[in-house]
């Protein structure tokens, strides 16, 4: 895989540009592609975004980005999500969590993997950082701003796959699960909060199946557990929300400009259970993409003061296959 030389970046992009937003989609271990993109931007101190909204793995990636901990998300995915303590289907048969987020975020509190929440709080004084969750009672999307006390709790809730992490995460008396269920692509939320120039980092190619991949996998697991009724409710709700998000992106208001960053083909990594080789391949692909975006000036529109008019563009990036890369 070719790696583009690290570009120099206009100092304007190191501080907040009003009306800009970054939206990070989830995708489980596929989020390592997003980690690569954001780490390449951290290398040159590129972060002009006033609003940042992350869903599930996207929320974890944005945490690494705003705390300026390049490599944090990469290490979390490569090591923690690969550990046998994190994912174990057998635990569900004895009343445990299939995906043990308690163990995962206990590790994030340790020095080796620790998220620098204090640095994050300082970094978002002039930005709006939001993590998405879904209330299990009414399926409504919630957008929480993290603080010193709840940052890891919100990350856990945003990543809590229904059924695989039992009831979800208790926030102020209500249980919340994965934000991808009700806010898989919260671009409209960014617009409603004042964003006029929006960058969206995706983890699946354009034109892929309408629903996000984790729901396919979840549905197959639940069929074997005879929990289809609620799974179908989740499925229908998610599909409706996802299609609405795509309609907004494809036909946005006249005063917003949206750029989507897609991998051109399916990433090598999966929702979970990826090999180290697959994960490293996609991380390096993400770093390559991030550098190319900057060196080719495709993010310069963020600093333009001219009014934009109903523009949507999709940036596709072809990377070498895993066989070629190795």
């Amino acid at each position: 895989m070719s790696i583009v030389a690290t570009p120099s970046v206009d100092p304007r992009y190191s501080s907040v540009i009003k009306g800009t937003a970054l939206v990070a989609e989830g995708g489980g271990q596929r989020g390592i592609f997003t980690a690569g993109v954001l780490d390449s931007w951290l290398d040159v101190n590129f972060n002009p975004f006033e609003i940042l909204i992350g869903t599930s793995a996207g929320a974890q990636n944005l945490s690494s980005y705003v705390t300026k901990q390049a490599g944090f998300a990469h290490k979390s995915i490569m090591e923690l999500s690969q550990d046998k303590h994190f994912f174990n289907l057998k635990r569900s048969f004895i009343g445990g969590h299939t995906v043990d987020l308690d163990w995962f975020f206990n590790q994030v509190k340790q020095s080796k993997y620790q998220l620098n929440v204090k640095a994050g709080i300082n970094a978002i004084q002039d930005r709006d950082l939001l993590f998405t969750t879904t209330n299990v009672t009414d399926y409504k999307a919630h957008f929480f701003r993290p603080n010193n006390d709840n940052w890891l709790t919100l990350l856990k809730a945003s990543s809590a796959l229904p059924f695989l992490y039992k009831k979800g995460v208790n926030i102020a008396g209500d249980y919340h699960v994965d934000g991808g269920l009700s806010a898989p692509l919260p671009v409209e939320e960014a617009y409603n909060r004042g964003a006029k120039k929006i960058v969206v980092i995706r983890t699946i190619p354009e034109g892929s199946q309408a629903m996000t991949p984790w729901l396919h996998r979840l549905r197959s697991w639940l069929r074997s557990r005879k929990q289809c009724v609620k799974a179908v409710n989740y499925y229908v709700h998610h599909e409706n929300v996802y299609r609405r998000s795509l309609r907004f992106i494809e036909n946005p208001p006249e005063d917003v400009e949206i750029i989507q960053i897609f991998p051109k083909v399916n990433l090598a990594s999966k929702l979970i259970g990826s090999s180290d080789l697959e994960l490293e391949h996609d991380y390096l692909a993400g770093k390559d993409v991030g550098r190319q975006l900057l060196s080719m000036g495709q993010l310069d529109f963020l600093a333009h003061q001219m009014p934009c008019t109903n523009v949507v563009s999709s940036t596709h990036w072809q990377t070498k296959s895993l066989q070629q890369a190795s």
Side-chain angles (χ1 to χ4, degrees):
M1 180 180 298
S2 62
I3 299 294
V4 177
T6 300
S8 58
V9 173
D10 189 316
R12 288 178 299 171
Y13 295 116
S14 299
S15 55
V16 172
I17 298 176
K18 293 292 184 181
T20 61
L22 175 63
V23 174
E25 185 178 34
Q29 289 183 333
R30 275 183 289 264
I32 203 163
F33 171 80
T34 304
V37 173
L38 296 180
D39 278 357
S40 74
W41 294 352
L42 283 176
D43 288 342
V44 292
N45 200 27
F46 177 90
N47 184 0
F49 302 104
E50 181 182 23
I51 302 168
L52 304 98
I53 309 179
T55 294
S56 193
Q60 295 183 45
N61 273 311
L62 291 185
S63 294
S64 176
Y65 187 46
V66 300
T67 60
K68 296 186 177 182
Q69 289 177 269
F72 171 84
H74 173 263
K75 179 182 287 187
S76 296
I77 295 172
M78 287 290 295
E79 298 182 20
L80 295 182
S81 76
Q82 291 286 77
D83 194 285
K84 63 182 181 181
H85 291 94
F86 179 63
F87 177 78
N88 188 336
L89 273 174
K90 295 180 180 178
R91 282 198 300 260
S92 64
F93 294 99
I94 57 174
H97 298 298
T98 303
V99 175
D100 194 345
L101 293 176
D102 297 330
W103 173 85
F104 183 96
F105 283 102
N106 280 336
Q107 305 310 305
V108 174
K109 295 177 183 178
Q110 308 303 316
S111 58
K112 182 179 180 181
Y113 301 104
Q114 191 168 45
L115 182 70
N116 191 344
V117 173
K118 182 177 180 180
I121 296 299
N122 291 333
I124 62 175
Q125 293 302 310
D126 56 350
R127 305 177 194 268
D128 201 9
L129 174 66
L130 301 163
F131 301 150
T132 69
T133 69
T134 300
N135 189 304
V136 299
T137 302
D138 55 18
Y139 297 171
K140 286 185 178 178
H142 289 253
F143 299 87
F144 289 102
R145 195 173 197 270
N147 59 42
N148 189 64
D149 298 321
N150 68 8
W151 198 303
L152 296 184
T153 299
L154 295 180
L155 286 181
K156 184 190 294 187
S158 187
S159 305
L161 289 171
F163 306 106
L164 304 187
Y165 185 74
K166 295 302 178 180
K167 294 189 296 184
V169 177
N170 190 321
I171 300 176
D174 291 320
Y175 282 93
H176 292 253
V177 294
D178 194 297
L181 179 64
S182 293
L185 288 170
V187 179
E188 188 173 1
E189 182 70 20
Y191 174 74
N192 290 338
R193 290 174 181 265
K196 303 299 184 183
K197 298 171 185 288
I198 304 172
V199 176
V200 188
I201 306 179
R202 307 289 299 278
T203 54
I204 57 174
E206 186 176 24
S208 294
Q209 58 209 13
M211 65 178 172
T212 47
W214 68 259
L215 201 57
H216 273 304
R217 187 75 175 269
L218 177 62
R219 188 172 56 166
S220 66
W221 280 330
L222 295 180
R223 278 176 177 165
S224 65
R225 301 294 306 281
K226 298 181 180 180
Q227 295 183 12
C228 286
V229 175
K230 195 165 186 178
V232 168
N233 291 339
Y234 279 153
Y235 168 74
V236 171
H237 174 72
H238 173 84
E239 280 289 85
N240 290 337
V241 173
Y242 203 95
R243 290 195 180 103
R244 171 178 169 166
S245 298
L246 292 178
R247 286 195 299 269
F248 180 87
I249 292 172
E250 292 164 2
N251 298 284
E254 292 185 355
D255 60 343
V256 64
E257 187 173 0
I258 302 169
I259 283 185
Q260 298 185 85
I261 304 167
F262 291 93
K264 190 175 181 66
V265 297
N266 286 324
L267 296 172
S269 50
K270 300 176 282 293
L271 173 70
I272 202 164
S274 313
S275 70
D276 288 349
L277 183 61
E278 290 169 335
L279 292 171
E280 191 63 21
H281 170 270
D282 289 346
Y283 175 73
L284 293 176
K287 291 209 77 170
D288 205 1
V289 166
R291 289 171 175 142
Q292 288 185 54
L293 285 164
L294 297 180
S295 64
M296 296 172 66
Q298 291 201 304
L299 298 179
D300 288 349
F301 81 103
L302 292 167
H304 293 167
Q305 298 304 311
M306 295 296 290
C308 51
T309 55
N310 202 24
V311 176
V312 180
S313 63
S314 298
T315 304
H316 304 268
W317 298 96
Q318 179 69 62
T319 59
K320 293 183 179 179
S321 69
L322 190 56
Q323 290 79 11
Q324 290 174 303
S326 58

